[in-house]
Amino acid sequence: MSTNTESQTHSLPSRERCPQASGLESVAPLLHSGEETPDPIPTTTRGTIPAWINGSFLRNGPGKFEFGEDRYNHWFDGMALMHRFHICEGSVTYSSRFLRSDSYNLNSERNRIVVSEFGTVAMPDPCKNFFARFLSRFQIPQPTDNANVNFVKYKGDYYVSTETNFMRRVDPQTLETKEKVDWSQYVAVNSATAHPHYDREGATYNMGNSYGRDGFFYTIIRIPPAEEAAAKEDSADLSGAEVICSIPAAESRKPSYYHSFVMSENYIVFVEQPIKLNVLKFMLYKIMGESFQKILSWEPQYGTVFHLVDRHTGQVLKYRTAPMFTLHQINAYEDNGFLVMDMCCGDDGDVIGEFTLENLRRESGDDLDKFYNSLCRNLPRRYVLPLNVDEQAPLDQNLVMLQNCKATAKRTNSGEVYMTHEELHNDELLQYGGLEFPQINYDKYNGRPYRYFYACGFGHVFADSLLKMDVHTKELKVWRYPGLFPSEPVFVASPDAAEEDDGVVLTRKGTFFFSFLAIFQTHSFTKRSR
């Protein structure tokens, strides 16, 4: 009886499995435009910073939400504001700068929004005559270079990135903006993610899109490490970038949206999920006056396809599973002929469009509680892909033979392999609203068997707790404090670490009035809220 009850509970949407919130505090004060602090300022330190922590903690995200009378519509639209916490001998200084992207500069010069973003369409210049304004709707919109998602590294250089074909190189010490870099000048792609992976030889991997007469393709890219003997010039260098593999979209007129991908020591997995981009609407969205956000739709009838790519040969295998969506993966590793793949997953891809500024700025009360309770909650899942499939295996036989693993893989009548997942958590996590923004001890354990990951808990529309998860026992440890909203945690290992979790977690925390750096010894997480 308990097994059936557990199965029925796990088949419920995640929003129904998590407790319903009431009396949530408005987070509107967190969503106002900030001011930059280009010159480093000292900070007040509480507690003791371990002596071995020295360096810069870099963060990036939306920081300006209006120009003149024009307002952005979506959280993803805000102009990139870069932050630097510099730690040296127990002291911390803080500085920040707006990215001087073309989008930022043009908007500033004209004191209005002139470059479209994810959820906001730039309106025609009101100073033009009617005919000129009408014709401007038929101009092909240029992709934004408002790189407000992430700091990334290629060949030792720092860039800030978004999900178009443009990045910006930046100085990690001063946060000054350098040149704009166009991916399409190095490799045949029209965009790239803001979440690359790095191998232990120094190469970087990413994914992009390409489309043309032959259809729509998802493209896996490799950027080689910098040549040690080469003289370093102060300019962007993506030379040697190559396409490992191009995967045709299952529906060429409705390719899938994706935010990141999976990588183990020998494989890359692309998750073709049923968040679909309508190509016809994409071609016409400026004419229709709709934002990019409006051409994305959740279409669960397409299910989810895992494309397993051999990093060395480019060979591709396909697996299928039920409709789900994922923004961030936790880790993946190979184990006795299987690829174990852990991800933060949801069961309703409409959630991306819900993070409008209007929704997020709701005042405390029933409207805010109702909005939060309607959101999909992401939960950690484990999928296990058999690397070698016995074509003679019975259709009802579970091909996954790893000990103590509840994930399954079975052959189907159509000759495909269908996957079901294992829940990578216990019910305690539901109290914290699920989790997102997972991080591991990346340098040592990415692509390898691991035990711990760190993430943000979402008991509010913004993250309101830090979590440490043991994937062996599914034990959860939590840090939570009323009125504090942490950002994505970053794990830094101790210099002489003997254990996987020997180190600290860094996070940028926000209140309604302050922003600050928090450093946690990973062993100091409690099992209860504080």
Side-chain angles (χ1 to χ4, degrees):
M1 179 67 71
S2 61
T3 301
N4 290 338
T5 302
E6 179 181 0
S7 175
Q8 292 169 6
T9 300
H10 287 181
S11 66
L12 292 173
S14 58
R15 67 170 66 88
E16 296 182 22
R17 294 167 58 191
C18 293
Q20 297 290 288
S22 63
L24 292 176
E25 188 174 10
S26 174
V27 294
L30 295 175
L31 292 155
H32 62 80
S33 293
E35 298 291 336
E36 62 181 4
T37 308
D39 296 321
I41 59 174
T43 62
T44 301
T45 302
R46 295 181 181 177
T48 303
I49 299 174
W52 55 266
I53 302 179
N54 289 283
S56 295
F57 180 54
L58 304 175
R59 297 284 83 187
N60 186 19
K64 184 174 176 60
F65 299 99
E66 68 281 317
F67 285 92
E69 298 299 316
D70 291 355
R71 302 288 185 266
Y72 287 115
N73 298 323
H74 199 281
W75 183 36
F76 296 172
D77 298 341
M79 294 290 99
L81 180 59
M82 303 174 288
H83 308 263
R84 177 180 182 249
F85 295 90
H86 185 63
I87 308 167
C88 182
E89 298 181 349
S91 298
V92 181
T93 59
Y94 169 78
S95 58
S96 64
R97 283 182 187 267
F98 282 109
L99 179 72
R100 262 51 180 193
S101 60
D102 289 350
S103 299
Y104 179 92
N105 291 335
L106 285 169
N107 293 339
S108 298
E109 288 170 7
R110 301 181 189 180
N111 198 33
R112 66 183 185 86
I113 296 172
V114 297
V115 180
S116 296
E117 300 290 342
F118 176 78
T120 304
V121 175
M123 291 294 101
D125 187 346
C127 295
K128 292 182 178 179
N129 61 42
F130 173 82
F131 186 66
R133 292 200 305 272
F134 175 75
L135 288 180
S136 69
R137 287 191 176 273
F138 294 87
Q139 296 172 351
I140 298 174
Q142 293 300 308
T144 182
D145 65 337
N146 175 35
N148 64 2
V149 178
N150 199 15
F151 277 91
V152 297
K153 286 180 71 176
Y154 294 99
K155 295 190 176 185
D157 283 331
Y158 285 80
Y159 300 80
V160 285
S161 184
T162 181
E163 295 184 329
T164 69
N165 56 307
F166 294 126
M167 298 188 297
R168 278 284 184 167
R169 196 166 69 97
V170 296
D171 185 321
Q173 304 300 319
T174 65
L175 300 181
E176 290 181 298
T177 303
K178 296 192 174 183
E179 71 268 38
K180 182 165 72 171
V181 179
D182 183 350
W183 273 104
S184 65
Q185 299 302 307
Y186 295 88
V187 67
V189 294
N190 306 106
S191 66
T193 81
H195 291 288
H197 276 290
Y198 309 93
D199 69 17
R200 289 174 176 81
E201 288 70 48
T204 309
Y205 295 79
N206 207 338
M207 284 198 63
N209 298 328
S210 61
Y211 47 87
R213 292 182 178 179
D214 295 330
F216 194 103
F217 294 85
Y218 313 108
T219 303
I220 298 173
I221 311 160
R222 178 184 182 273
I223 298 87
E227 298 179 12
E228 293 184 7
K232 181 62 178 173
E233 297 183 3
D234 187 22
S235 61
D237 179 15
L238 298 182
S239 61
E242 60 178 338
V243 172
I244 294 178
C245 176
S246 290
I247 302 167
E251 301 288 333
S252 61
R253 294 184 180 181
K254 286 189 175 182
S256 293
Y257 168 80
Y258 58 96
H259 186 69
S260 57
F261 60 99
V262 182
M263 190 171 88
S264 71
E265 289 193 310
N266 294 293
Y267 297 93
I268 285 173
V269 180
F270 166 60
V271 182
E272 190 172 16
Q273 57 192 355
I275 301 177
K276 296 296 185 178
L277 185 157
N278 187 308
V279 173
L280 179 59
K281 287 185 177 180
F282 174 70
M283 296 170 64
L284 300 175
Y285 81 88
K286 187 173 181 182
I287 299 173
M288 297 167 62
E290 293 187 345
S291 66
F292 184 84
Q293 167 202 342
K294 298 294 186 181
I295 65 175
L296 295 177
S297 59
W298 172 244
E299 303 193 31
Q301 69 272 20
Y302 289 107
T304 303
V305 181
F306 297 142
H307 298 271
L308 176 76
V309 180
D310 188 309
R311 279 171 51 189
H312 311 291
T313 67
Q315 181 181 1
V316 183
L317 297 175
K318 290 199 303 186
Y319 308 77
R320 290 190 178 272
T321 192
M324 62 87 169
F325 90 98
T326 180
L327 293 175
H328 302 103
Q329 289 73 47
I330 303 168
N331 199 9
Y333 60 89
E334 297 144 42
D335 185 358
N336 293 312
F338 298 91
L339 182 77
V340 179
M341 184 169 63
D342 299 341
M343 303 185 291
C344 295
C345 300
D347 43 35
D348 182 356
D350 281 332
V351 68
I352 294 176
E354 297 296 330
F355 279 78
T356 64
L357 292 170
E358 180 181 7
N359 282 335
L360 296 175
R361 286 170 172 163
R362 295 185 186 207
E363 294 300 321
S364 299
D366 290 343
D367 282 350
L368 179 60
D369 294 342
K370 183 178 179 180
F371 167 64
Y372 170 75
N373 291 326
S374 72
L375 295 174
C376 171
R377 318 296 168 79
N378 283 9
L379 298 168
R381 295 179 181 176
R382 170 165 290 178
Y383 293 88
V384 179
L385 282 60
L387 299 176
N388 299 290
V389 177
D390 182 359
E391 300 297 337
Q392 303 304 315
L395 298 184
D396 60 349
Q397 178 180 315
N398 182 13
L399 303 177
V400 178
M401 294 177 288
L402 296 180
Q403 191 173 8
N404 300 321
C405 180
K406 297 179 181 179
T408 70
K410 297 181 180 181
R411 294 180 57 244
T412 66
N413 285 320
S414 61
E416 297 176 323
V417 177
Y418 189 84
M419 324 289 299
T420 65
H421 66 271
E422 174 183 349
E423 298 277 2
L424 205 60
H425 65 91
N426 56 37
D427 286 347
E428 183 183 9
L429 175 61
L430 303 179
Q431 301 175 26
Y432 299 98
L435 56 80
E436 252 299 345
F437 304 126
Q439 288 285 327
I440 62 171
N441 184 342
Y442 190 94
D443 290 345
K444 294 286 184 66
Y445 289 90
N446 186 58
R448 294 175 175 174
Y450 75 113
R451 182 166 183 172
Y452 302 105
F453 73 89
Y454 310 87
C456 290
F458 277 79
H460 205 305
V461 293
F462 279 166
D464 67 343
S465 62
L466 285 177
L467 311 176
K468 177 185 178 183
M469 178 71 79
D470 183 332
V471 299
H472 290 182
T473 66
K474 300 182 182 178
E475 180 186 13
L476 183 68
K477 293 187 177 181
V478 181
W479 184 93
R480 195 180 202 181
Y481 196 91
L484 295 184
F485 299 89
S487 67
E488 178 181 22
V490 174
F491 178 84
V492 181
S494 302
D496 302 316
E499 302 292 337
E500 177 185 342
D501 62 341
D502 185 358
V504 300
V505 166
L506 299 146
T507 182
R508 174 176 170 262
K509 287 181 173 289
T511 71
F512 295 143
F513 305 103
F514 300 102
S515 176
F516 58 92
L517 170 68
I519 303 175
F520 296 91
Q521 295 278 2
T522 55
H523 295 297
S524 71
F525 273 67
T526 64
K527 197 174 179 179
R528 61 184 183 279
S529 301
R530 297 203 304 177

